Amino acid sequence: MEQHVYPPAAQARIQGMEAYQALCAEAEADHASYWARLAREFLSWQTPFTKSLNDSEAPFFKWFEDGKLNASYNCLDRHVQAGKGERTAIIFETDGGESRKVSYAELLALVCQMANGLKSRGIKKGDRVVIYMPMSVEGVAAMQACARIGATHSVVFGGFSAQSLRDRINDAGAVALITADEQMRGGKALALKGIVDEALDGGVCPTLKDVIVYRRTGGAVGWVEGRDLWLHELLQGASSICEPEWVEAEHPLFLLYTSGSTGKPKGVQHSTGGYLLHAALTTSWTFDLQDSDIFWCTADIGWVTGHSYITYGPLALGGTEIVFEGVPTYPDAARFWQMIAKHKVTIFYTAPTAIRSLIKAAETNDAVHPKHHDLSSLRLLGSVGEPINPAAWEWYFQNVGGGRCPIVDTFWQTETGGHMITPLPGVTPMVPGSCTLPFPGITAAIVDEMGNDVPNGTGGILVVKKPWPAMIRTIWGDPERFKKSYYPEELKGYYLAGDGAIRSADRGYFTITGRIDDVLNVSGHRMGTMEIESALVAHTELVAEAAVVGRPDDLTGEAICAFVVLKRARPTGEEAKAIAKELRDWVAKEIGPIAKPKEIRFGDNLPKTRSGKIMRRLLRSLAKNEPVTQDISTLENPAILEQLAQAN
Ligand code: 7RM
C-alpha cells in the first residue's frame, strides 16, 4: 500500500525536528538533569527538590523525592495568584445541551470548600477516597479536593457494576466515597447512588465511613442515616479558603484500577510530582495548549485519559477546556461537530472507536456528517486508546480537520501517566496508523524475548529502557505483582508495556501491533480475558468452564468472544440464544456493560492439550471464523473444533 506522509504544523511549542532532536540529546546526555530542569520549569514547588532520580531500589524508582508540592495548588492557586482568576477554566456542557463557564477563581473556591468538607469528616493525608461520579465540574473538583488535602483518589468509571465498585473500595481500603444521585447519558437518568447502595449492602466495605452525594438530577435515592450525606449540605458554611497540604513528590496522588492479564484489576499507583510534571509537559508539547485555545478531551474522568488530559494537564497550564457530560450520539451523531462549532474548540482529543462509529453514522445518515458544521476553529486533533486504522485517520484528517490539522496519535497507558510515543505538532511528519516517535526523554525501544534490540522493520516487544517521572510506582498492596508484571527478569530491567510494536525501516516510526498478553482492547477500554472468564464461571448454576478471546472488529477494534461449557447439555437454537443473553447480562452485572461478550458459543468441551491447557490460539481462529491452520497434534479432543466453529 502506498504510504502518505503528512507535514507537521507550521508553528507549535516545540518547533522543528532539530529542536526535537536537541531535547532527545539533552535527555540522552543526562537523563536525571533533563527531567529535573523540566520539573522546575513546569511545576511550582513549595520545597524545591535537590535530588532528581533515585534508582537505588529499582524498579521502585523515586523522582524529586525531597521536594514538596501540591497538585491542586499547581492547577488552580498559581493561576489565580498570577491574575488569571477570571479566566475560564471549564466550559461544562450537560447531556441536554446547556452550558456554563467556571472561572479559575470559582473552581478554586469550590475545590477549597470540598477540601474543607472532606477535612470536616476527618479525611486526611494518605486516606483513600473513591470517586464514582458523572462527568461534571464537581467530579473534577472532587479529584482536585482530594489532591488538595493529600488524600489519594481512586476514580471508578460510572459504567462499572456494584461488584466492581465494591472490589475497588475494598482493595484500596477507602474511607469515603463521593458519588451522585444519578447521571444523565443520552437523555436517560442512570442510577449511581443505587449502584453504590448495592455495592455497600450488608456492610461488606468495612473501611468505608462516608458516602457523599452530589445532587445532579434530584431523582429519588435510598438513604442510610449516619453514612450518607449530601454534598451541598457538606459545602454549606464550608470556607472557600483551604491551605493546601504540601506533600512529598512521591506521595500517591491517585490509584486507578486497570485490567491485567491475570487475576483481578490492579490498582496502578501514581505519584504527585512526577505524574503532574508529565501531564503538564505533554499537554504543552503534544497539544501545544496556549491561552487562546479551547481544549476538548472527550474521555471520561474514570479513565486515565480523563485524569491526565482533563483534571490535571490542561489545568496545570491554566488552559480552558470543555467538560462534557453526555455521549457522542445524543441527540444525534453530530453532537461532537455541533459542540466543536458552538464552543469554537481548537484542540480535539478523542478515541478511534468514537471516530469509526461517527464515520458509520455519517455514511448511513448524511445529516450527521461533520461537513454541515463550521469546524474551522480546530487546529489540532488527537487520538488515543487503541491503534487508529489508516482509513479512519484519513477521514478524521479530511472531514474533521479540514485537511489542515495535524493528528497526534498518542500511544500511552494507565501505567505511563501520559504520552509515551506521539507526533509533536510542530515537529513530526505523520504517517497514518503510526504513533511515530518517542516523546523526548522517553527511551522506548523494541526488543526480543531476551531484551535484545531488534532491527527496524522487525516486530518485537515494546519496552522503555529508562525510568521516567510519570511512571507507575507500584500496584497498590502488591509490589510483587508490580515487579512481575512490568519488570520481568529476562528483560534487563526494562519496563514492559505489554504491547507488540514494529519500527519502520525508513523513518524508525513506531506502529503498535496490539497487546502481547491476555488483555483485550474493546472500544479503547482495557479488559482482561481472565476477568471475563472469572465472571462467567461465577455463574455457578449454569457455567462449568469458559474461555474468552478477542477477535478483530471493524467498529470496536476488538470484540469479546466467549466459549462456554455449560453444566447442562449443550444448548442449540432458541435455547442457546436465551442462555447467551442471560450470560451476557450476568457479565454486565458482574463487571459492567463494557465487558459483555459480543458472541457466546457453546461446546461440550473446550479444545485442550493432553496436559489440560486450553488452546487459546485455536479459539482465536475459531472466533474469527477462520479455518484452523495451527498444529493440532497435541490436541486431546480435535472433534470439538467443528462444534465450536459454528455460531449459535
Ligand atoms: C491511554 C490508554 C493502554 C493500551 C495500550 C495499547 C492501547 C493506547 C494507543 C494504543 C495503539 C495508540 N490507557 N493504546 N493508545 N494502541 N495506538 N495511540 O488507553 O491503560 O486504558 O490502555 O491501549 O494497547 O497498552 S489504557
Side-chain angles (χ1 to χ4, degrees):
M1 198 181 81
E2 198 204 328
Q3 229 178 26
H4 294 271
V5 180
Y6 293 83
Q11 193 64 51
R13 191 74 55 133
I14 305 299
Q15 194 52 52
M17 190 51 91
E18 275 171 28
Y20 167 81
Q21 280 161 350
L23 289 165
C24 295
E26 182 191 344
E28 173 72 33
D30 188 345
H31 193 66
S33 301
Y34 165 81
W35 286 113
R37 171 176 77 78
L38 295 168
R40 290 190 185 100
E41 252 168 57
F42 277 82
L43 301 180
S44 304
W45 296 82
Q46 190 258 354
T47 305
F49 59 88
T50 63
K51 301 185 211 160
S52 179
L53 169 65
N54 175 350
D55 57 6
S56 62
E57 286 162 61
F60 299 94
F61 299 102
K62 298 189 180 102
W63 287 89
F64 323 125
E65 59 182 316
D66 60 345
K68 284 192 170 183
L69 77 169
N70 181 281
S72 117
Y73 176 88
N74 273 273
C75 292
L76 302 168
D77 305 60
R78 65 169 172 170
H79 310 310
V80 174
Q81 286 164 16
K84 288 167 75 177
E86 298 311 306
R87 241 181 95 71
T88 299
I90 293 175
I91 302 169
F92 177 64
E93 176 149 330
T94 65
D95 186 57
E98 293 141 36
S99 47
R100 78 184 155 101
K101 292 182 177 173
V102 181
S103 71
Y104 271 92
E106 288 165 338
L107 188 58
L108 174 61
L110 176 63
V111 167
C112 285
Q113 280 194 304
M114 275 201 195
N116 283 325
L118 294 175
K119 282 210 278 197
S120 75
R121 302 302 305 172
I123 298 163
K124 55 183 191 311
K125 181 182 172 191
D127 286 343
R128 276 81 58 209
V129 175
V130 168
I131 297 175
Y132 189 62
M133 284 281 267
M135 284 295 289
S136 52
V137 173
E138 289 72 12
V140 174
M143 295 166 77
Q144 290 279 350
C146 288
R148 195 162 190 90
I149 64 170
T152 299
H153 59 69
S154 173
V155 183
V156 177
F157 174 59
F160 277 117
S161 67
Q163 177 67 50
S164 298
L165 177 61
R166 179 187 308 147
D167 291 345
R168 284 158 172 75
I169 292 169
N170 284 336
D171 189 82
V175 299
L177 186 149
I178 308 174
T179 188
D181 50 1
E182 296 178 307
Q183 62 177 341
M184 294 300 301
R185 285 173 73 82
K188 291 194 199 84
L190 306 170
L192 279 178
K193 177 63 165 57
I195 295 173
V196 169
D197 291 342
E198 195 187 328
L200 302 180
D201 187 37
V204 288
C205 297
T207 55
L208 198 84
K209 303 280 178 282
D210 290 324
V211 174
I212 300 164
V213 187
Y214 161 53
R215 187 145 74 195
R216 166 61 187 92
T217 63
V221 290
W223 206 254
V224 176
E225 282 308 328
R227 183 196 76 183
D228 299 350
L229 41 133
W230 286 110
L231 178 67
H232 58 264
E233 288 176 6
L234 189 66
L235 298 187
Q236 253 165 33
S239 163
S240 55
I241 295 169
C242 175
E243 177 69 11
E245 176 83 33
W246 305 108
V247 300
E248 309 72 41
E250 282 298 314
H251 183 70
L253 178 62
F254 66 88
L255 309 180
L256 187 57
Y257 285 80
T258 191
S259 296
S261 46
T262 54
K264 54 184 178 117
K266 39 196 184 188
V268 172
Q269 180 181 320
H270 276 289
S271 69
T272 301
Y275 169 80
L276 193 65
L277 165 62
H278 206 55
L281 179 68
T282 49
T283 305
S284 176
W285 291 2
T286 311
F287 293 126
D288 185 36
L289 184 67
Q290 308 279 351
D291 277 359
S292 50
D293 282 309
I294 307 287
F295 179 82
W296 185 14
C297 165
T298 67
D300 192 286
I301 53 169
W303 308 110
V304 74
T305 306
H307 283 59
S308 300
Y309 302 108
I310 295 177
T311 301
Y312 291 110
L315 296 179
L317 297 184
T320 297
E321 64 175 335
I322 309 269
V323 172
F324 176 45
E325 179 182 45
V327 297
T329 48
Y330 177 81
D332 61 33
R335 183 65 184 271
F336 278 0
W337 325 134
Q338 176 259 325
M339 278 181 64
I340 290 169
K342 173 179 171 188
H343 298 294
K344 302 202 165 36
V345 172
T346 59
I347 306 168
F348 181 65
Y349 190 35
T350 196
T353 297
I355 298 163
R356 286 193 298 266
S357 74
L358 297 177
I359 294 173
K360 193 172 163 199
E363 278 169 0
T364 34
N365 173 15
D366 184 69
V368 299
H369 195 281
K371 69 187 173 200
H372 303 297
H373 298 268
D374 177 8
L375 305 183
S376 61
S377 56
L378 288 171
R379 68 179 187 91
L380 182 60
L381 303 175
S383 171
V384 61
E386 53 187 314
I388 178 164
N389 49 305
W393 196 105
E394 300 273 355
W395 189 92
Y396 193 29
F397 184 77
Q398 298 300 349
N399 295 288
V400 182
R404 59 171 201 285
C405 307
I407 298 177
V408 288
D409 175 359
T410 60
F411 168 83
W412 60 295
Q413 308 174 295
T414 306
E415 294 88 340
T416 70
H419 304 154
M420 298 300 278
I421 308 178
T422 178
L424 299 182
V427 170
T428 325
M430 294 160 298
V431 173
S434 167
C435 52
T436 74
L437 297 172
F439 193 84
I442 300 298
T443 51
I446 302 179
V447 299
D448 64 20
E449 272 89 13
M450 298 313 293
N452 300 311
D453 288 289
V454 301
N456 289 357
T458 307
I461 300 169
L462 181 66
V463 296
V464 185
K465 291 190 169 177
K466 294 181 190 167
W468 67 102
M471 66 188 296
I472 173 177
R473 291 306 191 263
T474 189
I475 292 173
W476 180 259
D478 203 345
E480 275 312 306
R481 190 174 175 198
F482 164 76
K483 273 207 256 184
K484 259 177 59 192
S485 310
Y486 303 107
Y487 286 93
E489 256 158 45
E490 58 284 7
L491 282 186
K492 300 185 172 170
Y494 300 159
Y495 168 86
L496 173 69
D499 284 286
I502 185 167
R503 298 186 76 157
S504 63
D506 52 349
R507 294 168 181 269
Y509 277 11
F510 287 76
T511 291
I512 307 298
T513 50
R515 299 287 305 193
I516 54 171
D517 51 11
D518 291 314
V519 171
L520 308 182
N521 191 322
V522 183
S523 300
H525 297 150
R526 257 167 84 166
M527 292 302 326
T529 54
M530 303 289 194
E531 245 179 291
I532 306 169
E533 287 169 13
S534 311
L536 283 166
V537 296
H539 198 309
T540 50
E541 187 194 324
L542 274 176
V543 179
E545 208 177 4
V548 169
V549 298
R551 69 151 180 252
D553 185 278
D554 284 347
L555 217 54
T556 57
E558 278 189 292
I560 301 166
C561 187
F563 294 88
V564 173
V565 181
L566 293 179
K567 287 185 173 168
R568 62 174 84 168
R570 173 172 174 262
T572 53
E574 287 308 311
E575 195 199 1
K577 286 208 177 70
I579 295 178
K581 181 177 185 309
E582 181 176 344
L583 291 179
R584 294 175 74 249
D585 292 343
W586 170 265
V587 172
K589 217 174 134 38
E590 284 285 297
I591 304 176
I594 53 173
K596 268 188 175 184
K598 180 155 187 189
E599 189 182 349
I600 296 182
R601 288 188 200 175
F602 298 103
D604 294 323
N605 208 332
L606 296 172
K608 286 183 189 160
T609 62
R610 275 172 244 282
S611 60
K613 281 210 172 68
I614 298 173
M615 295 182 76
R616 283 163 201 283
R617 45 195 183 85
L618 300 185
L619 292 176
R620 278 192 276 271
S621 299
L622 294 174
K624 280 193 262 186
N625 296 316
E626 273 174 13
V628 170
T629 54
Q630 294 97 337
D631 175 17
I632 55 167
S633 56
T634 56
L635 188 61
E636 167 84 52
N637 50 347
I640 201 71
L641 295 181
E642 202 179 322
Q643 197 178 67
L644 294 173
Q646 292 148 28
N648 298 314

